[in-house]
Amino acid sequence: MAELVPFAVPIESDKTLLVWELSSGPTAEALHHSLFTAFSQFGLLYSVRVFPNAAVAHPGFYAVIKFYSARAARRAQKACDRKQLFQKSPVKVRLGTRHKAVQHQALALNSSRCQELANYYFGFNGWSKRIIKLQELSDLEERENEDSMVPLPKQSLKFFCALEVMLPSYDCRSPGVGLVEEPVDKVEEGPLSFLMKRKTAQKLAIQKALSDAFQKLLIVVLESGKIAVEYRPSEDIIDVRCEEELHGLIQVHCSPWKQCGQEEEEYLSDFSLEEEEFRLPELD
């Protein structure tokens, strides 16, 4: 049976492993490295989080490990449960379970996570992005008289980006758009700070558009291990000013694509997520 892997934060319990009986000898940082090394051989990991045991329990640690693939999580659980792995005593590994009443809405991956997932399944040269339009929509007013005490209304930098992600091997292209607005005060911040904010807003618009493009793609992993791609146009309302303001900003001409080299991009640090509440399965 084929498995579907979306470009979304994995929150399903069948993609989450609970690992306990971890030794109290190493530090949490050392355990994080050992766990990542041991479990990443089964598939791409979204996160590895290590926590100290509760005060009422014996000293030691437990961990929550998230995969993008439920199939990879199952393989890791079967291979690592009751094995010593990197310590003298065996660890216990179980698939996470969540109360049925708890429901979470899927969260989109940020651009750096999307690229990491795409590189893993498609290869570094298996996809590329092409910026169709990058336009500044800022409407900044200059103060004619610097001595004037009349304050200017709050101003902001606004950038719109439209791009497409291209997958040559699958004859697939996915468009994405992003609009970013950053508050700015040219007088208080000075010219250097203003230029830095302008550059940051520009990059954020590109990253947001890239993430939006990947949200329309669904990775299909067949039982044979082969990869397919499904394109799903989004029906959600675009998170921008309004549809009328975007009209005319972008004109895409249908033309044969050509493979491009991936552009270098500075990534934002990944946002932090609060861990879902899990209950440990009963011990054997």
Side-chain angles (χ1 to χ4, degrees):
M1 183 176 180
E3 180 182 12
L4 305 180
V5 181
F7 285 85
V9 176
I11 59 175
E12 300 87 346
S13 59
D14 60 352
K15 297 180 180 180
T16 304
L17 293 183
L18 305 174
V19 184
W20 68 97
E21 299 291 343
L22 294 172
S23 173
S24 60
T27 63
E29 291 76 12
L31 281 175
H32 181 279
H33 176 74
S34 298
L35 288 166
F36 184 90
T37 302
F39 285 90
S40 60
Q41 60 182 313
F42 299 98
L44 183 63
L45 301 179
Y46 172 77
S47 65
V48 176
R49 304 187 66 179
V50 180
F51 305 92
N53 289 340
V56 295
H58 59 80
F61 297 89
Y62 70 96
V64 178
I65 300 176
K66 290 188 177 184
F67 286 84
Y68 287 99
S69 164
R71 187 179 299 170
R74 289 194 298 270
R75 287 199 306 264
Q77 190 276 327
K78 292 180 180 179
C80 298
D81 184 36
R82 302 183 186 277
K83 299 295 191 302
Q84 292 181 340
L85 298 181
F86 46 81
Q87 62 182 33
K88 294 181 179 180
S89 59
V91 300
K92 294 182 179 179
V93 184
R94 295 290 189 275
L95 285 170
T97 57
R98 186 184 298 117
H99 296 288
K100 294 182 179 180
V102 179
Q103 295 181 354
H104 298 275
Q105 184 177 3
L107 298 175
L109 292 175
N110 63 20
S111 62
S112 60
R113 293 281 191 166
C114 287
Q115 293 179 86
E116 181 183 40
L117 190 58
N119 289 339
Y120 182 82
Y121 283 101
F122 306 137
F124 289 94
N125 296 321
W127 68 276
S128 62
K129 72 172 181 287
R130 181 175 72 91
I131 296 178
I132 300 171
K133 193 172 191 67
L134 181 60
Q135 181 172 340
E136 183 173 3
L137 306 178
S138 307
D139 187 17
L140 301 178
E141 298 180 8
E142 296 288 345
R143 187 186 295 272
E144 295 181 359
N145 184 0
E146 294 184 358
D147 296 331
S148 176
M149 298 302 294
V150 180
L152 288 174
K154 291 185 178 180
Q155 302 181 67
S156 60
L157 286 167
K158 299 177 184 178
F159 276 92
F160 169 80
C161 178
L163 54 74
E164 65 177 0
V165 168
M166 301 181 290
L167 301 171
S169 299
Y170 305 95
D171 193 21
C172 178
R173 297 189 297 182
S174 178
V177 295
L179 182 69
V180 170
E181 182 174 353
E182 290 289 325
V184 65
D185 190 323
K186 294 178 66 176
V187 177
E188 292 184 2
E189 298 183 6
L192 181 58
S193 178
F194 173 77
L195 290 176
M196 292 298 294
K197 275 201 169 185
R198 187 177 184 276
K199 183 178 180 181
T200 299
Q202 192 177 45
K203 290 181 179 179
L204 286 173
I206 296 174
Q207 291 174 350
K208 190 172 183 179
L210 184 61
S211 176
D212 180 63
F214 274 117
Q215 305 315 309
K216 302 178 179 71
L217 298 176
L218 188 64
I219 302 171
V220 183
V221 184
L222 306 178
E223 289 188 359
S224 62
K226 293 184 178 180
I227 305 298
V229 177
E230 180 182 349
Y231 174 71
R232 304 181 302 174
S234 175
E235 297 180 357
D236 297 336
I237 299 176
I238 298 176
D239 182 22
V240 292
R241 287 176 164 183
C242 62
E243 190 173 343
E244 290 77 7
E245 293 186 29
L246 289 182
H247 183 70
L249 285 178
I250 171 176
Q251 294 181 349
V252 183
H253 301 281
C254 295
S255 58
W257 53 263
K258 58 181 179 179
Q259 187 171 357
C260 308
Q262 287 181 228
E263 303 175 14
E264 295 183 358
E265 179 179 3
E266 295 181 11
Y267 307 136
L268 294 178
S269 58
D270 183 34
F271 50 84
S272 59
L273 294 173
E274 293 185 359
E275 201 67 49
E276 295 87 6
E277 293 185 357
F278 294 96
R279 56 181 175 87
L280 292 175
E282 295 182 0
L283 301 180
D284 297 337

